[in-house]
Amino acid sequence: MSEVKEDSPNTVTKEDIISSIQDNMHRDDFAAYMNFCVCKWKQLEAVQQVIDAIMDSVCKQWEISKKELLDSKYSEPRAMMFYVIKKQTKLSYTEIGDMFDKERSFIHKLVNDMTFMIEKHGRKNFIVKLESIQKDLSLKNIYPPSEEVKKNEKN
């Protein structure tokens, strides 16, 4: 994952967090809100594990590192990564973009491009890589193969 940049609007310091908690301790709904936050955090941790596994599988297929995967020079593997993340998680384009410090429209375009190449155009090289990625994820007990992979395996 790309790290949040220091000047990013999403950057929150430990002091900000502590101050916010202290400022809201008096609220009746604070415990419920904190419970909600902890549950969301646990969900995010689970999704992060899935995304890490997807990244590992994509890197394995293209024989590149995670750092290279996020480099603009490697657009096809990066597009495949976002495509698989979108297909295998319930994350929105905005959420995926936030995790990788990219605009929603950028993620949407790459996913649409890969969707066209795999589902509409049937580019064999991408289908083979996708099938290998999905099988790798299945072996890791991450997710069963998506419907797109099952459909393409029949062809």
Side-chain angles (χ1 to χ4, degrees), residues 11-140:
T11 302
V12 179
T13 66
K14 289 180 184 178
E15 292 78 20
D16 292 338
I17 294 168
I18 292 169
S19 174
S20 182
I21 290 171
Q22 289 172 339
D23 291 347
N24 288 289
M25 292 284 286
H26 68 282
R27 293 179 53 158
D28 293 336
D29 60 349
F30 185 71
Y33 178 72
M34 289 306 297
N35 183 54
F36 170 80
C37 291
V38 169
C39 289
K40 280 299 212 184
W41 181 254
K42 287 180 181 178
Q43 289 172 356
L44 182 60
E45 285 178 327
V47 168
Q48 182 64 48
Q49 290 176 352
V50 171
I51 290 172
D52 284 341
I54 291 169
M55 290 177 73
D56 288 340
S57 295
V58 170
C59 289
K60 181 176 163 185
Q61 285 304 305
W62 267 271
E63 298 178 350
I64 59 175
S65 69
K66 283 186 179 181
K67 183 176 180 179
E68 290 171 316
L69 177 61
L70 299 174
D71 187 336
S72 61
K73 180 171 114 177
Y74 296 94
S75 61
E76 289 179 352
R78 194 175 61 247
M80 178 66 80
M81 174 189 69
F82 290 135
Y83 173 83
V84 175
I85 290 170
K86 184 64 181 152
K87 293 290 182 181
Q88 299 290 10
T89 69
K90 294 179 182 180
L91 295 175
S92 68
Y93 292 112
T94 302
E95 290 169 322
I96 296 168
D98 287 347
M99 293 181 90
F100 291 92
D101 199 25
K102 302 287 184 197
E103 293 292 323
R104 181 201 75 78
S105 59
F106 176 79
I107 304 298
H108 189 262
K109 180 184 181 332
L110 290 181
V111 170
N112 278 348
D113 289 350
M114 194 54 65
T115 299
F116 176 78
M117 296 297 244
I118 292 172
E119 297 174 23
K120 306 281 191 275
H121 194 8
R123 288 271 307 268
K124 190 67 175 167
N125 58 330
F126 289 117
I127 291 170
V128 168
K129 286 189 184 290
L130 176 63
E131 288 171 351
S132 295
I133 291 165
Q134 292 290 2
K135 286 176 185 175
D136 189 43
L137 293 174
S138 292
L139 291 173
K140 295 176 182 177

